[in-house]
Amino acid sequence: MNVLDLARTVRDWAPGLTPKIGIVLGSGLGDFAARVEDAQAIPYADLPGFPHSGVSGHAGELVLGRVGGAEVAVLSGRAHFYERGDPREMAVPIATLAALGCETLILTNAAGSLKADVGPGSLMLIADHIAFGPNPLIGVGVDERFVSMVDAYDPALRDLARKAAKATGIALSEGVYMWFSGPSFETPAEIRMARLVGADAVGMSTVPEVILARHAGLKVLGFSLVTNLGAGMTGRPLSHAETKSEAAAGGERLATLLAAVLKLLAE
Ligand code: HPA
């Protein structure tokens, strides 16, 4: 099925909804999907080309509905590069959102912070990224593959996110997200390198999706929920269990911030 057929399937499933905003929910952040009003959920299994194995900590469904007065298409569940070594894991879902008429993609993730004063539970607005892995546009055989990544994280949307943070009283730092392939966590030496090259947080997702989204002409906004300090910063080993429990704890605040962003976007 091509993406136009997929978009038609989604439209038939949720008639009357014409979402302009897509959202990707990261590990443990699935609670946001519960805030979607008039929700119509389509299992990824019913959408050929959408990931349906290896989706961790997620429902694995596309949820259409309304939040804060805005119509949204929520990808509740992502697949990661580390599943199969394919940076195009999320290519079909993102292209489908674009074909559906989405103009903006809001991405969320769980991340390790490189700043001791931005600890677990903190929210970071992504200002820019460092791709430390293969590009998802490799093999796309047209000139459109030469996508500019200047202001990839849309400055006007970032302004709006800061406004939403202020309005809700939620602390929001801003920084550079660096993508590591995973699935093992980084070494302490890699964390020191990441800091040296200008990263503020590290994680295993989002970056290929941002490149795919820019290629599809979508505006991008990204948030990291800090679940831990980077490897070697505390003397304790990192664990996926900690990532999931901290993401669940902070997820509510990120959901509130997202709802405020959507409200501003709907105005
Ligand atoms: N490293 C990579 N990915 C992550 C981390 C981390 O420290 N925390 C949550 N996701």
Side-chain angles (χ1 to χ4, degrees):
M1 209 186 267
N2 68 31
V3 291
L4 293 177
D5 292 331
L6 281 165
R8 204 168 303 124
T9 302
V10 173
R11 245 182 253 119
D12 290 347
W13 197 292
L17 287 170
T18 51
K20 293 271 185 288
I21 302 161
I23 302 173
V24 180
L25 300 180
S27 308
L29 303 171
D31 283 358
F32 178 79
R35 297 201 181 203
V36 180
E37 297 152 24
D38 309 322
Q40 308 277 350
I42 313 170
Y44 285 176
D46 288 343
L47 298 168
F50 277 56
H52 51 266
S53 61
V55 178
S56 61
H58 300 289
E61 56 188 25
L62 173 59
V63 183
L64 275 81
R66 291 182 190 80
V67 179
E71 291 185 7
V72 292
V74 181
L75 292 167
S76 182
R78 62 152 56 95
H80 298 80
F81 172 73
Y82 58 67
E83 245 80 60
R84 301 184 297 180
D86 181 3
R88 296 183 59 76
E89 284 289 338
M90 293 297 285
V92 170
I94 290 169
T96 301
L97 292 188
L100 198 59
C102 286
E103 294 167 354
T104 297
L105 186 64
I106 303 178
L107 297 139
T108 64
N109 61 47
S113 170
L114 305 189
K115 291 175 154 172
D117 59 341
V118 180
S122 306
L123 296 177
M124 185 185 93
L125 176 60
I126 305 178
D128 202 347
H129 76 220
I130 298 170
F132 194 47
N135 195 293
L137 302 181
I138 290 171
V140 173
V142 290
D143 275 359
E144 286 69 33
R145 66 187 148 178
F146 300 109
V147 176
S148 169
M149 295 301 289
V150 175
D151 289 336
Y153 298 82
D154 189 78
L157 288 176
R158 275 154 55 206
D159 277 347
L160 199 111
R162 286 184 218 105
K163 267 192 204 126
K166 207 170 264 175
T168 49
I170 291 173
L172 184 64
S173 67
E174 188 162 349
V176 173
Y177 175 91
M178 183 166 179
W179 174 44
F180 280 81
S181 80
S184 62
F185 285 109
E186 300 72 33
T187 63
E190 286 163 348
I191 290 297
R192 291 194 295 276
M193 174 195 72
R195 196 180 297 117
L196 275 177
V197 298
D200 299 295
V202 293
M204 305 177 193
S205 68
T206 306
V207 164
E209 295 157 28
V210 171
I211 296 168
L212 289 163
R214 294 303 299 140
H215 180 243
L218 297 167
K219 285 191 241 172
V220 167
L221 182 62
F223 296 97
S224 290
L225 168 58
V226 172
T227 55
N228 57 280
L229 292 177
M233 291 175 68
T234 65
R236 281 187 297 117
L238 306 189
S239 76
H240 186 51
E242 184 184 25
T243 299
K244 282 200 285 195
S245 72
E246 286 292 337
E252 199 55 36
R253 233 166 340 108
L254 181 50
T256 300
L257 180 60
L258 283 182
V261 167
L262 292 169
K263 188 157 167 269
L264 290 178
L265 274 171
E267 277 173 14

